[in-house]
Every structure is written in structure tokens, then in C-alpha cells.
Amino acid sequence: MGTRSNPLLPPTLKRRPGARPTPLPPAYDAVLGEYAAALERAPLSDETRRTYRSRVRMFLSWLADHTATYSADPLADRQARDWAVRDYRMWLLRDGPARRSRVYVNSVLTALDDFHVRRGLGKADVDREDLPKSAPRALEERARIRWLRAVEAHLSPRGRCIALIPYYAGARISEVVRLDVGDVQMSARKGKLRLYGKGGKFREVDIHPKLRTELQLWLDERRNWPNAGANRALLLNAKGGRLTARAAGGIIAAIAQTAGLDDPTTAHVLRHTLATTLVRGKTDLVLVAEILGHARLETTRRYSLPSDKDKEEALKLITVDS
């Protein structure tokens, strides 16, 4: 089944609306163009292509300012490549203007591996960062209640669907905006969502009753939106085009602000909240992995780890006991 385009800028790479990508010297711009052409021929999802291009562009921009550091060309020499990637990793983690997380840095290294392999250099000899030994951040019980109340008070059925699909179906923001009307299958009592994930893989998730109500309200209202008959996208923008991931993320952020949540709330945090609730409720890990679209069970096991909040509470108990 084919993939559908919906570029997603991760939070750490968001640009101002209308801002242009960092310009590259002509030689490096040509290198990026060759890589982009290779990606178009590769069996990857549009989202992966977009992410890899963005990661490689940032690396080339950094390399343009540091190429004199190396005695050989990092884009042609394997040893120079290794040194450059190691230095870039440290720049992202420690020396750059915005320190990046270890998860983000590992994703950059994956993109650079793909880039160097397609150039015939092979993967750089650079270790991945050890990931935090904590469960991914999720909304705690009080925050979940405030979130759901804010969603319920939100006036737009479209906005309520955007807020609840990650929360009740565990969808990534890219999967939310990639939904077509035909991906929502509802009968009198039941329903399923067909979600398109990484690598063009799709999975079906049962529609929670509360999400089902909101989806029906939105489908009824959607008929009156511009271009509703011609555009198959479930979530439309004001002009009748497919809603972007950035716009959908902005809607989630606005609802979170209304809820008065202390920490930034994204679709991924809502997805983590569902996973944490299921795992801690003793749902079988294989089933949770299927719901979330995880390729590896080890990814799902992370939700059984103690959260940062759990560790804070444990420290408080130790302090009281001592």
C-alpha cells in the first residue's frame, strides 16, 4: 500500500512560519541534491525522507563551518568522516546553541548513516548514545483530567479529534494528519482507525467510544468545509487542503495551554500517556506494541520503567525515612 506525503518537523527543528532552510555552499548544496534524489528512489516513507534530508542539511551546514579542521575531506575519506560525525555529535549534545537530547542525537546518527552509505563510504564508526533509563514522559492523573476537560471545552470538533486521536489511539502527529476519510471505519457500535506509520506500514486500532463521538461530529461538520468533496484528507485546513503536522501540533499546544499544564504537551506525550496507562494496567506488551506500531518489543518495554516522577517520589520517601 503506498505512502502519503506529510512532512513533519520535529519540535527541535521547528522554524518560524515562512523561514527558509539554512543555505549551503554550492558544493554542499549539490551533495544534498544528489542525496535527496537517492532518497526519492529509496523504499522509504515521505516522512522519513523529509527527516533524513533535514538532518543531513544541518550536518552539511555545520561541516561547511568546520571543514578546515580535518586534514582530509569528511565526505570522501572514511577516517575524516568518523572524526567529523563524532565532533558533530558532541556539538549537538554539548557545544551547540541548543543542546539536543540523546534520543534526538541518535536519530541524527541514523540519518547520517543512511547518507554515508548512499555515498559509498559506509556507516561512521560512532557509538550511539545510551538512552535514559526512565519511562517516556506521560501525563500524570491530574494532568490527564485537566487535559480531557480542556478538550471537552474546545469548540471545534476538528480540534477535539486532533487532541484525542493520539490520546486514545496512540497515533503519532504525522499519522493523525495522514488520515483519510476512508481510514475511519465506523459501524453502529464499533469502529477502527487505519493508521499509516513509519515505512508506510499501516495498523488498525479500535476507536475508543469517546473518540468515536468526536469523529462523527467532525465528519458531519466536515461536509461543509471548502473542498470537502474533492480532498480525501480527514483533517482539512481552512482552504480545504490537508492539515499539516505543524498546524495540528499547534492546536494541541493551544489546548494544553488552556488546560494550564505545566510541561509542554505534544502528540507524542499523549501517545506516551496511552502506552503508559496500558502497560501499567498490565496489558500484554505485544498488544501494546501492535497498538503503537512498534517494530521492536524493547521499545514498548520502556513504558514499564520508572518515570522521573516515580524517582522523585522515591527520593522523598528515602528522605523521610532517614
Side-chain angles (χ1 to χ4, degrees), residues 9-10 13-22 50 54 57 246:
L9 283 175
L13 289 180
K14 284 185 178 178
R15 298 190 299 269
R16 299 183 311 276
R20 295 181 178 179
T22 305
R50 173 65 183 86
S54 177
R57 173 184 283 278
R246 181 181 295 184

Side-chain angles (χ1 to χ4, degrees), residues 162-182:
I162 292 167
L164 293 179
I165 292 173
Y167 185 85
Y168 282 126
R172 303 172 178 92
I173 193 67
S174 59
E175 295 171 344
V176 173
V177 297
R178 194 176 290 144
L179 283 166
D180 286 342
V181 172

Side-chain angles (χ1 to χ4, degrees), residues 52 140 168 183 188 210:
Y52 280 11
E140 298 171 21
Y168 282 126
D183 296 324
K210 291 184 179 179

Side-chain angles (χ1 to χ4, degrees), residues 98-322:
R99 295 183 181 181
R100 308 296 190 177
S101 70
R102 285 174 282 181
V103 172
Y104 175 82
V105 170
N106 283 350
S107 76
V108 170
L109 295 178
T110 298
L112 294 183
D113 278 348
D114 183 82
F115 170 65
H116 288 120
V117 165
R118 295 186 193 281
R119 287 188 61 79
L121 287 175
K123 297 180 180 180
D125 184 16
V126 179
D127 293 334
R128 295 295 193 267
E129 294 297 313
D130 292 332
L131 296 178
K133 304 301 181 183
S134 300
R137 187 170 71 83
L139 297 181
E140 298 171 21
E141 184 176 0
R142 289 184 179 179
R144 290 202 303 269
I145 293 172
R146 287 159 65 184
W147 167 257
L148 290 173
R149 286 175 178 171
V151 173
E152 185 177 351
H154 192 70
L155 296 178
S156 165
R158 185 192 66 163
R160 294 197 296 271
C161 287
I162 292 167
L164 293 179
I165 292 173
Y167 185 85
Y168 282 126
R172 303 172 178 92
I173 193 67
S174 59
E175 295 171 344
V176 173
V177 297
R178 194 176 290 144
L179 283 166
D180 286 342
V181 172
D183 296 324
V184 182
Q185 303 168 354
M186 293 193 294
S187 62
R189 294 184 179 181
K190 298 181 180 180
K192 287 187 179 294
L193 277 183
R194 185 187 295 119
L195 297 169
Y196 290 81
K198 295 180 178 179
K201 297 178 181 179
F202 74 87
R203 64 190 188 279
E204 289 188 339
V205 180
D206 289 335
I207 299 176
H208 189 281
K210 291 184 179 179
L211 174 57
R212 187 185 185 286
T213 300
E214 299 301 342
L215 281 169
Q216 190 59 61
L217 287 171
W218 164 240
L219 287 171
D220 292 342
E221 181 183 297
R222 183 187 178 280
R223 298 191 186 100
N224 299 319
W225 278 55
N227 208 31
N231 193 335
R232 65 185 185 182
L234 174 66
L235 300 168
L236 301 173
N237 61 29
K239 295 182 179 179
R242 184 182 294 271
L243 192 71
T244 66
R246 181 181 295 184
I251 290 169
I252 290 175
I255 295 175
Q257 186 175 17
T258 301
L261 301 183
D262 296 331
D263 297 320
T265 300
T266 64
H268 235 59
V269 170
L270 299 174
R271 170 179 160 87
H272 293 330
T273 301
L274 173 69
T276 300
T277 302
L278 293 175
V279 170
R280 296 195 174 192
K282 307 301 181 184
T283 304
D284 184 82
L285 285 180
V286 174
L287 177 58
V288 179
E290 289 179 0
I291 292 172
L292 298 178
H294 285 162
R296 298 190 308 128
L297 203 57
E298 290 306 311
T299 305
T300 314
R301 290 189 201 280
R302 289 185 59 207
Y303 295 100
S304 63
L305 295 172
S307 66
D308 290 338
K309 184 67 175 179
D310 293 331
K311 294 176 182 179
E312 290 175 10
E313 294 299 324
L315 287 175
K316 290 179 183 177
L317 289 175
I318 293 172
T319 303
V320 172
D321 290 343
S322 61

Side-chain angles (χ1 to χ4, degrees), residues 74-87:
L75 298 182
D77 180 86
R78 285 182 170 84
Q79 187 175 38
R81 169 209 60 195
D82 290 350
W83 281 113
V85 174
R86 288 171 192 156
D87 290 345

Side-chain angles (χ1 to χ4, degrees), residues 17-63:
R20 295 181 178 179
T22 305
L24 296 173
Y28 283 0
D29 194 49
V31 168
L32 182 64
E34 292 172 1
Y35 177 59
L39 285 178
E40 289 301 318
R41 298 189 295 270
L44 300 170
S45 69
D46 290 336
E47 177 191 348
T48 299
R49 293 189 187 101
R50 173 65 183 86
T51 300
Y52 280 11
R53 282 197 306 269
S54 177
R55 301 282 197 265
V56 170
R57 173 184 283 278
M58 292 183 67
F59 171 68
L60 292 174
S61 177
W62 173 88
L63 188 60

